[in-house]
């Protein structure tokens, strides 16, 4: 474990172990799904080429209605093993690695002592493990299913102390310095209520770190809800719950919001970086309505940092 001091700490690699170990990943998924090693390897190779391929195939096989919330979609999250493959590939993708690295560096700059962090909807538990390796006190929550089983094994084999919450109603209120919620809000049926829950978990002065590509509603993201597109680039989704922008990356991957009470005065000093994030938010909101994807001009790149087909 890495312990904090008054000096800048050395952060773990965003390619969190065991993401760098193909055999470990393949064998664990085979154990969880009861599929053969050869089948798992094939599925992961396909996923690296076309992110979300198995999820899309399983979704259509079950006859679900895309981009619309239903109880059947809720069960899909629990019962399909497709997210194991999808999330392994995504967590090794260069875009997610850069986001994880930014978050780690941001938190190390903000405070030299360990933080109480809730990783909400963390799937395989990769972000949870990364922050635990950095010395923070981390709590993991996700819905029961294949990914939670993977996460439990991940934490056990790491030897690090990670708290696991099974029931979202059991998450303590006003108990966390940071709530990390990446790639979750675009899936939920009621984002304002979910954001209110996030705010409720934070102590006053605590921060929510959010990434939510609401605009990604197409054939490659069938579980992203069409009804949530209207929240693209909208800070009002958060400010209405007392969460106010304090930092982030320009592409909103992620943004950082601080919980304040009504008596707290917001900074009045002009901040070019925050102004730029808000301007990009306006662009995201407008272009989502016009083109659907504000970043359509960026060529998609599913580049993984370590191919399943490699020797390791």
């Amino acid at each position: 474990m890495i312990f904090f001091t008054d000096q800048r700490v050395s952060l773990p690699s965003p390619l969190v172990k065991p993401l760098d170990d193909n055999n470990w990943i393949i064998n664990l998924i085979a154990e969880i799904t009861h599929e053969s090693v050869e089948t798992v390897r094939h599925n992961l190779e396909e996923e690296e080429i076309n992110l979300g391929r198995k999820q899309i195939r399983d979704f259509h096989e079950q006859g679900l209605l895309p981009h619309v919330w239903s109880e059947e979609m809720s069960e899909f999250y629990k019962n399909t093993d497709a997210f194991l493959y999808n999330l392994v590939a995504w967590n090794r993708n260069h875009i997610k690695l850069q986001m994880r690295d930014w978050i780690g560096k941001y938190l190390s700059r903000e405070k030299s002592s360990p933080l109480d962090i809730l990783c909400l909807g963390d799937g395989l538990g990769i972000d949870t493990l990364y922050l635990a390796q950095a010395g923070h006190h981390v709590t993991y929550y996700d819905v029961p299913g294949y990914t939670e089983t993977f996460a439990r094994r991940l934490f056990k084999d790491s030897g690090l102390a990670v708290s696991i919450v099974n029931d979202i109603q059991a998450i303590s209120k006003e108990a966390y310095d940071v709530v990390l919620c990446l790639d979750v809000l675009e899936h939920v049926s009621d984002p304002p209520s979910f954001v209110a829950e996030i705010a409720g978990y934070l102590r006053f002065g605590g921060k929510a770190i959010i990434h939510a590509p609401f605009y990604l509603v197409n054939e490659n993201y069938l579980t992203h809800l069409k009804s949530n597109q209207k929240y693209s680039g909208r800070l009002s989704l958060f400010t209405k719950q007392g969460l106010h922008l304090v930092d982030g990356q320009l592409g909103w991957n992620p943004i950082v919001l601080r919980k304040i009470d009504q008596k707290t005065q917001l900074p009045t000093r002009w901040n070019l970086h925050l102004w730029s994030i808000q301007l990009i938010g306006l662009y995201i909101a407008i272009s989502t309505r016009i083109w659907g994807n504000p970043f359509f001009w960026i060529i998609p790149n599913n580049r993984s940092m370590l191919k399943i087909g490699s020797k390791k």
Side-chain angles (χ1 to χ4, degrees), residues 15-214:
L15 189 65
V16 180
K17 290 182 179 296
L19 290 182
D20 61 348
D21 189 336
N22 286 330
N23 288 332
W24 189 94
I25 291 171
I26 290 168
N27 289 329
L28 178 56
I29 293 179
E31 178 184 325
I32 292 172
T33 62
H34 305 293
E35 296 282 2
S36 69
V37 167
E38 291 75 16
T39 297
V40 172
R41 182 180 293 274
H42 172 73
N43 287 339
L44 282 172
E45 287 177 344
E46 282 195 333
E47 200 72 21
E48 286 178 337
I49 296 169
N50 189 349
L51 191 64
R53 184 168 181 171
K54 191 175 191 304
Q55 177 187 336
I56 293 168
R57 185 165 61 240
D58 288 1
F59 192 94
H60 287 306
E61 285 179 355
Q62 295 191 28
L64 300 178
L65 186 62
H67 312 305
V68 177
W69 174 258
S70 65
E71 289 300 323
E72 291 76 15
M73 185 179 287
S74 178
E75 290 301 310
F76 178 71
Y77 288 115
K78 299 177 183 178
N79 297 330
T80 182
D81 64 3
F83 290 103
L84 288 171
Y85 301 101
N86 178 260
L87 292 176
V88 166
W90 171 234
N91 275 286
R92 293 173 13 150
N93 184 282
H94 72 288
I95 298 172
K96 180 59 187 290
L97 292 176
Q98 189 278 332
M99 196 188 315
R100 186 180 297 123
D101 185 59
W102 186 92
I103 291 167
K105 289 176 179 176
Y106 173 79
L107 293 177
S108 72
R109 290 194 307 268
E110 285 298 292
K111 196 170 183 180
S112 60
S113 58
L115 298 164
D116 293 322
I117 301 177
L118 170 64
C119 289
L120 196 58
D122 188 26
L124 301 181
I126 303 298
D127 296 323
T128 298
L129 184 61
Y130 173 73
L131 294 173
Q133 288 177 352
H136 297 292
H137 306 141
V138 193
T139 298
Y140 164 94
Y141 170 78
D142 207 316
V143 296
Y146 286 101
T147 56
E148 186 202 31
T149 301
F150 184 104
R152 286 178 177 275
R153 176 66 177 273
L154 182 74
F155 304 148
K156 179 181 178 181
D157 286 8
S158 75
L160 294 174
V162 172
S163 299
I164 301 173
V165 178
N166 296 313
D167 181 359
I168 197 168
Q169 301 300 324
I171 299 176
S172 299
K173 300 293 185 180
E174 299 184 0
Y176 298 97
D177 302 305
V178 175
V179 173
L180 183 69
C181 185
L182 307 180
D183 306 306
V184 173
L185 287 171
E186 64 274 17
H187 297 268
V188 304
S189 59
D190 187 356
S193 294
F194 201 89
V195 172
E197 290 294 319
I198 291 173
Y201 302 138
L202 286 167
R203 300 174 177 127
F204 282 107
K207 293 175 180 176
I209 301 178
I210 307 287
H211 180 244
F214 291 118

